[in-house]
Amino acid sequence: MPIMTSPALPHVHPTAIVSPEANLLPDVKIGPYTIIEGPVTLGPGCVIGPHVQLIGPLTMGANNEVGAGSVLGGAPQHLGYKGEVTAVEIGSGNIFREHVTIHRGMPVGAGPGTGVTRIGDRGFFMAGAHIAHDCVVGNDVILANAALLGGHVTVGDRAFISGNSAVHQFCRVGRLAFLSGASGSSKDIPPFWVMQDVNYVRGLNLIGMRRAGIPPAERTAIRKAYRIIYMTRPALPLSAALARIEAEVGEFPAVQELVEFIRTSKRGICGAHRLASDASDDESAAA
């Protein structure tokens, strides 16, 4: 292993230890006692706080902020991992607060390993959040404090995973989906759905849809799709419910996205909570 030193860069604290394999631009800021190990590439404007460990292969785009005590690029927490070279790839404009952990992918050929864990742009990952091996996280995603993603989880753009909540390995979280605090999911969370407790749908992320610029007519169509799946009596088989949704409101792109997500689900989607509702923004929406 190459000997790590503290380079003579203007914004690297003298107590930081940086591998000669690292690629740091002159404007990158590295805080005290941070360790950058192996092939780590940091884009322009990145700010790395104190006591951080970045482990390569790790690539980060521009203007990322990493808070104290975070470990990005650690080995997968998987008994099948034998030290193979795998990676983490991170986009631009993300904020990782204190003690966030992100693990590298499992090697290709080791089961469903992809070799890389991917994070998009402009995410906000609050203190103690964890992203496991082989996850794919989209743009503008928020993980609140101590939110956990198991291995191979896929998270769509603008999804919100609340504090002390967890998503089981191999699950998918759709665009603008919302997992409530202290909840858990071992099933897929469709786009625009709000989930609560363990594997229960609570309502629709109406406020989030409005903030994302989804037009009123399209939001109404999503509400109708939700009612067909969860509020039709007697309840329809899911395949029949999806066919009815396509027949009645299938012209809307957001509805097409929803139907395709549900139809391609391998883990299935959740049942309705006893308090499930879509009556108003106040009752069923999440920011």
Side-chain angles (χ1 to χ4, degrees), residues 37 95 109 114 117 131 172 177 194 205 211 233 236 260 266-267:
E37 178 180 340
I95 298 174
T114 65
T117 300
I131 300 172
R172 297 183 301 158
V194 174
N205 187 2
R211 289 176 175 171
R233 296 293 181 269
L236 295 172
E260 176 65 14
K266 295 180 179 178
R267 300 192 63 88

Side-chain angles (χ1 to χ4, degrees), residues 119-149:
I119 313 295
D121 300 329
R122 300 178 302 278
F124 186 19
F125 306 94
M126 300 183 196
H130 172 67
I131 300 172
H133 61 87
D134 300 284
C135 286
V136 178
V137 178
N139 300 323
D140 303 293
V141 169
I142 296 176
L143 267 63
N145 300 75
L148 309 176
L149 302 183

Side-chain angles (χ1 to χ4, degrees), residues 114-269:
T114 65
V116 61
T117 300
R118 291 186 172 90
I119 313 295
D121 300 329
R122 300 178 302 278
F124 186 19
F125 306 94
M126 300 183 196
H130 172 67
I131 300 172
H133 61 87
D134 300 284
C135 286
V136 178
V137 178
N139 300 323
D140 303 293
V141 169
I142 296 176
L143 267 63
N145 300 75
L148 309 176
L149 302 183
H152 304 276
V153 168
T154 299
V155 181
D157 294 347
R158 300 188 72 141
F160 194 118
I161 312 297
S162 298
N164 294 301
S165 59
V167 181
H168 191 275
Q169 60 184 356
F170 294 102
C171 286
R172 297 183 301 158
V173 180
R175 181 171 69 102
L176 283 163
F178 190 104
L179 181 59
S180 299
S183 296
S185 181
S186 61
K187 294 182 178 293
D188 289 346
I189 307 175
F192 322 117
W193 265 212
V194 174
M195 293 226 359
Q196 190 176 50
D197 293 337
V198 178
N199 290 341
Y200 281 110
V201 173
R202 176 67 171 85
L204 290 171
N205 187 2
L206 297 172
I207 292 175
M209 285 191 282
R210 186 170 66 239
R211 289 176 175 171
I214 295 177
E218 204 157 2
R219 298 200 303 268
T220 298
I222 290 292
R223 294 176 74 166
K224 185 168 187 178
Y226 177 91
R227 291 191 192 105
I228 290 172
I229 293 173
Y230 290 113
M231 298 182 177
T232 301
R233 296 293 181 269
L236 295 172
L238 187 56
S239 59
L242 294 179
R244 180 177 165 187
I245 290 167
E246 288 180 311
E248 296 185 11
V249 288
E251 70 273 19
F252 292 96
V255 172
Q256 296 167 12
E257 176 185 351
L258 174 68
V259 169
E260 176 65 14
F261 183 99
I262 295 173
R263 190 164 276 152
T264 58
S265 174
K266 295 180 179 178
R267 300 192 63 88
I269 65 170

